[in-house]
Amino acid sequence: MSIRDSDVQRVREATDLVALIGRRVSLKRVGSRHVGLCPFHTEKTPSFSVNGAEGFYHCFGCKASGDAITFVRETEHLDFADAVEQLAAAANIELTYDAPGAQRANQRRKELLDLLERAARFYHERLMSSPDAGEARAYLRRRGYDRETVVKWRLGYAPPLWDALCQHLGAPADKLAAAGLAYADPASDFFRDRVMFPICDAGGRVVSFAGRVLPRSGEPPPKGPKYKNTAGTAVYDKSRVLYGLHLAKQAARSTERIVVCEGHTDVIGCDLAGTSEAVATCGTALTKHHAELLSRSAKRIVLAFDADAAGQTAAERVHQWEREFGLDIFVAALPPGSDPGDLAASDPPALRRALNEARPLHAFRAERILQRAELDSPSGRDRAADEAAEVFAVYPPEILLEGDLAPIADRIPMDVEKFRDRVDAARQRLTDRTASPTPDAYDTPPPPEPDEGYFDDAYPGDSWEPPEARSPITREPKVHSVERSVAAREQALLEAAASADSDAMSLIVPQLFSLPEFREAYFRVVGEPDWRDRLNSDVPDRERLAQTAAGVSELREGEALDRAARALHRHVQETIQLIGDGAEIPGAASDPQQSEIERLRLRHGWLVWLRDRETELLNPDLRVGAAEAVAEWLRAS
């Protein structure tokens, strides 16, 4: 929804930034500023500065910066509109919305959230003091939940009466039904005789409930599901909410991890065992939206799913988001038949040990493959090796250590180097599958001169920032119209490395052939009859390269390309640094008649182009085209 810009500015001006941040950070006044320890990263020396007069903050350590809205968004994990609305409510500002119907939709959301908050208070007060909640209190005590735990998690009790909540709230039946609290016809409570777990969004607002059936001594279990959950509403989508995140995110800043469980009691059990950075999915599998939410709090994610087959299968499915959101996902090995809640109650040190010793996701997935494989037959071992190789293939080769591959190779059993070869082959197949139908060779030349229309007319106006202050710019690469196979593009890259008239040789060759196993990649280029003609006699490395070509060993072309791309990546990084320090731009003709604005525009254009290549050289799907573009630039320099 679109909040009017004038209202957003009013919220910024009405918010005391020092007071807002001071509720989370201990600030000390130094001159006209306030300083303290940064809430966004761990530090011992204050580097976090707040300028209350100007309304912005900045950390000189992690470079986090922004205004009051940014601070609320980052600390509460809210989107822009929710952050503005929270600050507006605190400042008693009535917001207006530009989108048709948005004002009414926002008002309806507020009404539903108000009903849900009042319901949470009703259930909680009933549990704490009502005589009919005695058995609920006894049940929670048996689970090890003391008064402090009940208050922290706002646990409650829904009485068995058919319309106790409806009568207490006194709201129209259709609104209670829209909030997921009641049936509309006839008006009756949705939750009855259940222990209640309020579910909050990342900002701490109650958006739904889970109700656990209350076991009564001497009676058979009541009919119906053990847990009953609020259905989707205008304020609740279970694929976008994680139970306990509003409390876990603060602990996650110090532990630098988030533990993901399956149930509400698992989260509370983890908290009681000393692991306060735990969250749970709300009766659903972990989704892409969950992964994005988690990535805002920590990059290390530990999955503590139940040790049964369903929980282990769920743990396998999340690998698709690991690279997309920059996560490092681990899986905790819980004792068979247990869940985090049970283990927290019976053996808290064992739970902490399992979380601290969690295995990387790729090792867990490969181990699961071997558990299902028929390793007593050659064909079964062969299939298992290929399937396990597919697991590791999604990771760049430079992050896979022998310690990652050796345990799997030993289980098959297979020589670790042969298993690495399988991983390399699987990675190449993955690259081939993801390549576009028309191969994506680059046609991205270095930036043209300013008068060729490369920049917008307004550049570099008042909004322009120095290049080093801007975030790296990424854009989709242009696709060349000429069809070229992956093999042909790799050949071109290797030829660029060996070409005698190219500066790329001095950059790539030392990296490419520093180990014997990379020599055959070079031999693939120079092994043709006229290869000596391509080596200029005045190139110092000619004889060494000739000897290298003669010493052929095992072909490891994929790793050779990785080394070549990384060598170019380092050179691009160094060039960006040199340009940022004021050095001349390589490959750009110096024109003494050029104005300062024109030189500034050209310098910025080069930085944009180099930053694009810097990012793409690390992407296995884009590295060949990026390397071609950089090699072409080097030849022209």
Side-chain angles (χ1 to χ4, degrees), residues 116 176-182 190-191 196-197 199 207-211 227-233 235-238 282:
L116 288 160
L176 292 171
L181 296 172
F190 185 73
F191 297 101
M196 300 300 294
F197 296 81
I199 298 171
V207 292
S208 69
F209 290 91
Y227 278 95
K228 192 174 184 179
N229 303 300
T230 304
T233 68
V235 296
Y236 174 62
D237 178 352
K238 64 182 180 181
C282 299

Side-chain angles (χ1 to χ4, degrees), residues 499-523:
S499 174
D501 60 355
S502 170
D503 288 341
M505 186 181 69
S506 62
L507 295 167
I508 298 175
V509 167
Q511 297 296 325
L512 199 59
F513 309 117
S514 58
L515 295 176
E517 57 261 38
F518 300 119
R519 293 173 185 168
E520 189 165 332
Y522 177 69
F523 182 80

Side-chain angles (χ1 to χ4, degrees), residues 61-200:
C62 68
K63 308 304 180 186
S65 63
D67 58 11
I69 298 171
T70 311
F71 186 81
V72 171
R73 290 188 67 182
E74 294 299 322
T75 56
E76 300 293 338
H77 303 284
L78 303 177
D79 59 26
F80 181 83
D82 285 341
V84 174
E85 287 168 0
Q86 180 173 309
L87 291 173
N92 200 26
I93 294 175
E94 188 70 28
L95 298 174
T96 51
Y97 299 81
D98 292 330
Q103 193 82 24
R104 185 172 59 184
N106 184 63
Q107 183 59 36
R108 182 171 178 79
R109 280 174 53 86
K110 286 182 177 179
E111 291 173 355
L112 296 182
L113 290 170
D114 178 65
L115 287 173
L116 288 160
E117 174 59 31
R118 290 170 58 199
R121 289 200 296 266
F122 170 76
Y123 291 140
H124 183 65
E125 290 168 2
R126 195 89 181 198
L127 174 66
M128 298 299 286
S129 59
S130 178
D132 64 0
E135 290 203 51
R137 291 191 289 270
Y139 164 75
L140 292 173
R141 281 195 294 270
R142 289 196 300 273
R143 290 201 64 106
Y145 297 177
D146 56 14
R147 181 183 180 85
E148 182 181 351
T149 301
V150 169
V151 171
K152 177 178 181 177
W153 294 96
R154 301 187 67 186
L155 303 184
Y157 173 66
L161 304 176
W162 69 279
D163 66 346
L165 180 66
C166 291
Q167 291 292 333
H168 174 79
L169 296 179
D174 61 335
K175 289 188 177 180
L176 292 171
L181 296 172
Y183 299 104
D185 188 19
S188 56
D189 293 355
F190 185 73
F191 297 101
R192 293 195 291 272
D193 195 23
R194 288 179 178 265
V195 176
M196 300 300 294
F197 296 81
I199 298 171
C200 301

Side-chain angles (χ1 to χ4, degrees), residues 356-407:
N356 293 334
E357 297 174 358
R359 294 174 294 171
L361 178 61
H362 55 73
F364 167 79
R365 293 180 62 213
E367 182 63 31
R368 290 267 291 170
I369 288 171
L370 298 187
Q371 289 172 359
R372 300 190 296 264
E374 298 177 359
L375 298 179
D376 54 349
S377 70
S379 60
R381 290 192 293 271
D382 191 63
R383 283 194 299 272
D386 281 340
E387 288 183 34
E390 294 284 349
V391 168
F392 289 100
V394 299
Y395 299 93
E398 61 267 19
I399 74 169
L400 291 178
L401 305 176
E402 185 168 330
D404 297 314
L405 303 180

Side-chain angles (χ1 to χ4, degrees), residues 1-8 95-103:
M1 61 186 69
S2 177
I3 304 172
R4 289 185 181 174
D5 291 342
S6 58
D7 284 354
V8 173
L95 298 174
T96 51
Y97 299 81
D98 292 330
Q103 193 82 24

Side-chain angles (χ1 to χ4, degrees), residues 37 42-46:
L37 296 176
T42 304
E43 62 177 6
K44 295 181 179 180
T45 303

